C-alpha cells in the first residue's frame, strides 16, 4: 500500500514477487496506491517478469484498513522513508510485516517483523516466503504480537502522553528561564 513514487521502490517489490511466485505459484501479490494502476512502467515490468495474473496493480483505496486486514503479509520495499505509517497501520490490523531497513521501519516492527536491506529483491523475497511459510496459527500469532506492539508504542493514547510529557518539560524550562534574573 504505497503511492507510485521512486522511493517506494515498486521495481524491487516486483522482482521479489517474481522469486516468490517461482517458489509458491499459488501466491497473489497486490500493489495498491495513488498512481500504481496507471503506471506504464509497472505494467511493463509485471509483463516482463511474467507476473501477469499473479501481481495485481490497483488504484488508491479509500479503505486502507479493510485492504490491509485481508493480507497474509504486508511488504514495504522502500529505499527511503521516515516513519512509514502503512507499516504501523498493517500491524494495527494484525498483519505480519516485511520491511526494508530504512527510516524507522525496523524500530516500528521490532521483533514482530522481518527487516531486510533496501534494494535487495532476493532478501525481500526470502523474507516474504518465510512469512508465508508460517502456519495460519503462527502467522496469526505474529500478527497479534505486531498489533500489540503498535498499540503499546504508537497508539494515539501513547502519542498524547508523550506530547504531554514534552510540553511539561518545555513549560518547566520556560518557567525556570522567566524566574531567573538576567545577568548584568
Amino acid at each position: 500500500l504505497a503511492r507510485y513514487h521512486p522511493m517506494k521502490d515498486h521495481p524491487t517489490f516486483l522482482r521479489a514477487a517474481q522469486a516468490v511466485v517461482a517458489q509458491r505459484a499459488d501466491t497473489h501479490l497486490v500493489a495498491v496506491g495513488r498512481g500504481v494502476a496507471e503506471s506504464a512502467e509497472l505494467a511493463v515490468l509485471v509483463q516482463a517478469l511474467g507476473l501477469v495474473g499473479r501481481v495485481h496493480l490497483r488504484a488508491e483505496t479509500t479503505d486502507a484498513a479493510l485492504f490491509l486486514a485481508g493480507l497474509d503479509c504486508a511488504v514495504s520495499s522502500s529505499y527511503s522513508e521516515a516513519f512509514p505509517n502503512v507499516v504501523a497501520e498493517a500491524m494495527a490490523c494484525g498483519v505480519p510485516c516485511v520491511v526494508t531497513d530504512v527510516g524507522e521501519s525496523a524500530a516500528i516492527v521490532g521483533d514482530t517483523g522481518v527487516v531486510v536491506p533496501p534494494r535487495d529483491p532476493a532478501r525481500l523475497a526470502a523474507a516474504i516466503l518465510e512469512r508465508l511459510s508460517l502456519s495460519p496459527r503462527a502467522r496469526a500469532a505474529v500478527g497479534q504480537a505486531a498489533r500489540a506492539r503498535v498499540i503499546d508504542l504508537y497508539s494515539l493514547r501513547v502519542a498524547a502522553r508523550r506530547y504531554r510529557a514534552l510540553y511539561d518539560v518545555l513549560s518547566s524550562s520556560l518557567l525556570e528561564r522567566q524566574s531567573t534574573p538576567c545577568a548584568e
Side-chain angles (χ1 to χ4, degrees):
L1 183 62
R3 73 185 185 282
Y4 180 63
H5 187 278
M7 76 175 194
K8 300 300 183 179
D9 203 2
H10 287 87
T12 289
F13 173 72
L14 294 176
R15 288 183 181 92
Q18 183 183 37
V20 168
V21 169
Q23 295 283 322
R24 293 190 51 153
D26 63 332
T27 304
H28 287 264
L29 297 103
V30 184
V32 174
R34 187 176 345 115
V36 170
E38 300 82 16
S39 169
E41 176 194 9
L42 294 181
V44 166
L45 193 52
V46 166
Q47 180 81 29
L49 295 173
L51 295 170
V52 174
R54 290 289 163 213
V55 169
H56 311 279
L57 305 175
R58 299 289 183 251
E60 185 174 21
T61 179
T62 57
D63 195 344
L66 183 62
F67 168 74
L68 290 168
L71 300 177
D72 291 319
C73 176
V75 179
S76 174
S77 59
S78 297
Y79 66 74
S80 178
E81 283 285 353
F83 186 99
N85 288 330
V86 69
V87 173
E89 291 166 353
M91 291 170 66
C93 291
V95 178
C97 295
V98 172
V99 300
T100 50
D101 194 5
V102 296
E104 292 298 311
S105 296
I108 296 168
V109 298
D111 62 358
T112 70
V114 181
V115 181
V116 301
R119 295 182 168 164
D120 190 338
R123 297 273 298 272
L124 188 63
I128 294 167
L129 286 164
E130 182 269 319
R131 284 301 186 209
L132 294 179
S133 71
L134 296 174
S135 70
R137 178 178 281 190
R139 198 166 40 247
V142 170
Q144 288 310 307
R147 179 173 166 71
R149 178 178 176 79
V150 81
I151 289 169
D152 289 347
L153 297 177
Y154 302 105
S155 68
L156 185 56
R157 176 184 46 80
V158 171
R161 187 173 57 234
R162 288 181 181 160
Y163 274 114
R164 170 74 188 247
L166 174 64
Y167 295 150
D168 287 345
V169 168
L170 292 174
S171 64
S172 293
S173 176
L174 184 60
L175 289 173
E176 286 176 20
R177 282 186 182 174
Q178 290 176 347
S179 65
T180 305
C182 294
E184 291 185 31

